[in-house]
Amino acid sequence: SNSYSGELKNVFKLQSDIAQEIVEALKSKITEEELVNLNSVLTENTEAYDAYLRARNIMNSSWYNYDQLMEAIGYLNNAVKLDKNFVAGWSLLSIAQSDRYGRVKEAEDDKEAKIAKAQAELALNKTKELQPSGFYYLRADGYYQNIVKEDKIKAFKSLDSALEIFPNDAETLFYLSQIYMYLGQFDDLVDTLETAYAIDNQNGMVIYFLTFAYELTHRYEDMVPFLERLIKLEPENTNYLLQSKYYQFLADGKLESFRIYENVVKKADKKVKLDNRNIVNHDMVVAMFNNDYNSYTEAWKGKWDQHHKGHGKWSCPLQINDETNQANLMIKNGNSDLAFEIIERAKQTKEMPYNKEAFCIFNKATYNPKLEYMTGNIDLARKQFEEIIPKILNNNSFPRGAVERSILLETADLVAPDRVYSIYKQVTSNPVSLVSMETVCANPWIYPNLIKDPDFIKEVKEDGRFVNFLVHYNLMAKS
């Protein structure tokens, strides 16, 4: 409630004075390190600080593309050029270059990846030179060890040490949460992100990953208010409105919720930069429930072409698996010619090399039975399927293990429908799972045999939420 006045050149001193007054008013106890930080000035160059804040604003948004990341790197390069001793600027520059490396390391030409790695190391070394064992160095080192070196243990140690100095830093907590996600420690993942959000409810990246953490733990209803929070913070990203309505539908299974979701899908801006393929996926969901097979196919073909183009000369198991699903659906809808064309392309793609570090890469044995089945080798498909079950069910890594178990369930529905419910129960009983009863009810054509299985029907009826919805769309008989 106080008013303050002063010259812009003294803004950092004024900031420290205000912070100190707040501490005294709250009678807070702070550590010696926090007191030093309170009275320190990150930089006395206001232009450098402005550039730093612009970069941080980009990197704290819920989603930013490669071009936006390079814009942030440009700001940070300018910040440290204006003030060569700007430790926070060097630290964030190392994090940004590490992020860049993580995005381009899959490219066929690894020239840019080498540049990004070298720049991340240079900025990290400069941070260490300015602040050995200090907070900004430890935070940047934790991110670098995780993304560039892929050493989760060293990353965890550095981030944990950074939190010992400043326990209430939301960005450090977020970086730590990424390690918990990779390790499949979802309780720690949720706790860490909830703590980060309590500290900084303006950080779009924290909010987005908190919704993702809730999704992984099938807490769909908890996702909705945070997605609605993102709508207010980032209204230009229309996808969040769509996502909020979809997960509300998953949470309650009501036909009314689906109608609201359907209406938002129809109005969604397909040109929005944020995850266009995800919007197309929702288009496909709505089209299939409305028996609009032609619209579904057109949407799928657009997504299919985009995915192929994105991988270039790399093979993509996720794409091949999607192709077998689509081909099977096309055959059932009387479009065998295009179905066999898709399968032939999938077989060709299978023989191409792939980068093992890509998110959508997983064991070829997971989808191969589906491909064999679609080419008429039914007995071989069943044999391959039975052989892979134990290995895939016991793979608890994330995200790969979770993705492989999802594909295993789809494979069971096609190749071994007599075992599909048993596989479903084993997949969903694993805490690291991307499949749930709700997601099956929301995408039933991927599991045409599971949705008709008496045991699954019984489970849905006992739960109760999706019964009226599935009856309405003739996917379940009236009791």
Side-chain angles (χ1 to χ4, degrees), residues 2 4 14-40 166 168:
N2 292 345
Y4 300 87
L14 182 62
Q15 180 176 282
S16 295
D17 291 344
I18 295 171
Q20 187 67 54
E21 282 191 34
I22 293 170
V23 169
E24 292 174 358
L26 296 175
K27 301 188 184 302
S28 299
K29 293 182 179 180
I30 61 174
T31 66
E32 185 176 340
E33 290 89 348
E34 287 172 326
L35 183 61
V36 170
N37 184 63
L38 206 60
N39 293 317
S40 66
F166 294 126
N168 293 326

Side-chain angles (χ1 to χ4, degrees), residues 261-279:
Y261 156 67
E262 179 182 25
N263 188 51
V264 173
V265 170
K266 291 178 180 178
K267 295 179 179 178
D269 182 1
K270 305 300 188 298
K271 296 179 181 179
V272 71
K273 290 183 178 181
L274 174 59
D275 197 4
N276 175 264
R277 278 194 301 180
N278 191 285
I279 296 177

Side-chain angles (χ1 to χ4, degrees), residues 5 7 46 80 130 134 138 167 233 260 295 318 341 398 402 410 431:
S5 62
E7 295 183 24
T46 54
V80 297
L130 292 168
L138 289 168
L233 288 177
I260 294 171
S295 294
L318 195 63
E341 178 187 327
F398 185 85
E410 295 178 18

Side-chain angles (χ1 to χ4, degrees), residues 36 67 79 125 184-185 196 203 221 239 262 323 356 360 404 460:
V36 170
D67 291 339
N125 290 334
Q185 298 178 4
N203 190 311
E221 191 166 6
N239 195 19
E262 179 182 25
E323 287 167 341
K356 294 181 180 179
C360 53
E404 288 183 0
V460 173

Side-chain angles (χ1 to χ4, degrees), residues 240-255:
Y240 292 133
L241 176 62
L242 188 156
Q243 295 285 65
S244 69
K245 302 309 178 186
Y246 175 70
Y247 287 105
Q248 182 59 57
F249 165 58
L250 283 194
D252 62 36
K254 294 179 179 178
L255 181 60

Side-chain angles (χ1 to χ4, degrees), residues 56-150:
R56 195 176 70 169
N57 186 57
I58 292 172
M59 296 173 66
N60 280 351
S61 60
S62 63
W63 180 90
Y64 51 95
N65 61 25
Y66 174 83
D67 291 339
Q68 290 168 313
L69 173 60
M70 294 306 295
E71 182 184 359
I73 288 173
Y75 283 132
L76 291 167
N77 280 328
N78 189 44
V80 297
K81 182 180 179 180
L82 290 165
D83 182 356
K84 291 180 172 55
N85 296 320
F86 189 4
V87 64
W90 284 110
S91 175
L92 193 58
L93 179 57
S94 177
I95 290 170
Q97 291 287 10
S98 295
D99 187 358
R100 178 188 178 193
Y101 171 82
R103 294 179 187 227
V104 301
K105 66 181 180 180
E106 300 166 16
E108 295 173 54
D109 181 1
D110 64 352
K111 182 179 178 180
E112 186 180 356
K114 290 178 179 178
I115 293 172
K117 181 179 180 182
Q119 291 297 315
E121 289 174 351
L122 187 152
L124 182 64
N125 290 334
K126 184 64 178 178
T127 307
K128 186 176 183 180
E129 177 187 321
L130 292 168
Q131 193 188 64
S133 302
F135 167 75
Y136 286 106
Y137 166 69
L138 289 168
R139 184 171 70 176
D141 183 62
Y143 194 84
Y144 173 82
Q145 295 295 338
N146 184 27
I147 303 301
V148 179
K149 291 296 187 179
E150 297 183 41

